[in-house]
């Protein structure tokens, strides 16, 4: 088979050439020799896809490739070989390269993520899911080069969370509680930052006139 025997469904974003350029496929090749499972993994990884299904077809002859793209929920930025890469983040905390993002699925995004790395994706997902479920409004999520996590919330301003990803759910609950308490008590001080690196001992720093 050749490149023209590839049929793509599920997304208009990618072409036959994208499938070939982001996989180890070399043409011409006998259809029976194509390792569909391996090809699925390659495309999912290289094109930042949520899911990929590849099947061999005898009639019509060729390779059927079904692509399921990710839905961006935040702007994203990562460093690769000292080069800044711009893109988006989905709810699973996965980075989507700008060229691989489905523009039709772009809604109004209000969150920015800086310093994305693969190892932060689970923590990031916890934050993005909590943002949907809780009352706080996160506008920025930053991982420093050494992994220190900082959030910026619309009213609570800078929130220091630190290095321990195991604490993230507890910390997010505290942020939600603080937001509710401040609102209920009409807290009027202007907050500089909130330190939740030790969530059992929250520290709130306010601006002094």
């Amino acid at each position: 088979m050749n490149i023209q025997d590839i049929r793509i469904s599920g997304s208009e974003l990618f072409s036959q050439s994208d499938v070939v350029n982001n996989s180890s496929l070399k043409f011409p090749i006998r259809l029976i020799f194509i390792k569909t499972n391996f090809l699925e993994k390659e495309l999912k990884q290289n094109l930042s896809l949520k899911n990929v299904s590849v099947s061999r077809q005898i009639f019509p002859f060729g390779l059927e490739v079904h692509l399921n793209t990710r839905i961006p929920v935040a702007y994203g930025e990562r460093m690769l070989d000292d080069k800044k890469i711009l893109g988006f983040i989905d709810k699973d905390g996965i980075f989507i390269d700008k060229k691989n993002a489905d523009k039709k699925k772009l809604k109004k995004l209000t969150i920015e993520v800086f310093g994305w790395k693969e190892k932060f994706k689970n923590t990031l997902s916890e934050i993005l899911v909590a943002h949907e479920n809780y009352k706080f409004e996160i506008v920025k999520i930053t991982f420093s080069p050494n992994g220190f996590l900082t959030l910026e919330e619309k009213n609570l301003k800078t929130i220091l969370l630190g290095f321990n990803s195991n604490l993230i759910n507890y910390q997010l609950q505290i942020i939600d509680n603080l937001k509710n308490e401040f609102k209920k008590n009409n807290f009027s001080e202007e907050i500089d930052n909130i330190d939740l690196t030790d969530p059992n001992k929250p520290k709130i720093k306010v601006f002094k006139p």
Side-chain angles (χ1 to χ4, degrees):
M1 66 165 274
N2 285 292
I3 189 169
Q4 63 266 25
D5 298 314
I6 297 174
R7 290 183 301 280
I8 299 171
S9 60
S11 173
E12 298 174 1
L13 182 63
F14 301 107
S15 65
Q16 295 164 320
S17 296
D18 290 321
V19 168
V20 175
N21 294 336
N22 287 278
S23 72
S24 52
L25 284 174
K26 302 287 183 216
F27 294 104
I29 186 173
R30 290 185 65 182
L31 185 62
I32 194 70
F33 290 155
I34 294 175
K35 298 176 182 176
T36 55
N37 286 346
F38 183 69
L39 181 56
E40 286 171 354
K41 288 176 184 175
E42 283 186 312
L43 294 176
K44 186 175 180 181
Q45 176 70 31
N46 296 336
L47 296 176
S48 309
L49 295 164
K50 189 165 185 67
N51 212 352
V52 183
S53 172
V54 177
S55 58
R56 304 184 198 95
Q57 302 280 321
I58 302 302
F59 185 81
F61 177 82
L63 201 65
E64 186 74 36
V65 181
H66 185 80
L67 308 176
N68 187 0
T69 56
R70 294 183 177 276
I71 300 174
V73 297
Y75 293 107
E77 180 184 295
R78 65 182 294 198
M79 298 299 292
L80 189 63
D81 300 327
D82 294 326
K83 184 181 175 185
K84 192 181 291 182
I85 308 291
L86 300 178
F88 303 93
I89 310 291
D90 83 336
K91 199 162 68 171
D92 296 326
I94 300 295
F95 187 89
I96 309 164
D97 201 302
K98 202 171 184 179
K99 68 178 184 296
N100 294 334
D102 191 342
K103 303 299 188 292
K104 291 180 181 176
K105 292 187 177 181
L106 275 179
K107 297 178 182 176
K108 187 179 179 183
L109 306 179
T110 59
I111 303 173
E112 295 178 297
V113 178
F114 296 94
W116 183 94
K117 289 181 182 177
E118 178 81 18
K119 63 182 178 180
F120 299 144
K121 67 181 181 183
N122 291 336
T123 301
L124 194 47
S125 179
E126 298 278 6
I127 297 169
L128 294 170
V129 169
H131 181 263
E132 282 189 356
N133 297 332
Y134 290 151
K135 295 285 196 302
F136 50 70
E137 296 177 67
I138 295 167
V139 293
K140 190 187 291 184
I141 303 167
T142 304
F143 294 94
S144 71
N146 64 354
F148 190 96
L149 174 58
T150 306
L151 302 186
E152 190 169 314
E153 203 272 343
K154 188 176 179 182
N155 302 113
L156 301 179
K157 305 304 180 188
T158 302
I159 305 170
L160 310 174
L161 298 184
F163 297 104
N164 192 345
S165 60
N166 294 323
L167 297 173
I168 189 65
N169 279 320
Y170 184 30
Q171 291 168 320
L172 291 167
Q173 288 171 14
I174 292 172
I175 294 170
D176 192 49
N177 291 339
L178 285 173
K179 180 97 177 188
N180 291 332
E181 284 295 317
F182 288 170
K183 189 175 180 181
K184 190 165 68 176
N185 296 313
N186 294 316
F187 187 80
S188 59
E189 300 272 11
E190 189 177 352
I191 298 169
D192 181 16
N193 67 66
I194 297 173
D195 187 343
L196 294 180
T197 50
D198 180 353
N200 292 313
K201 298 176 183 176
K203 298 173 186 173
I204 300 171
K205 183 179 178 183
V206 297
F207 284 108
K208 294 180 180 177

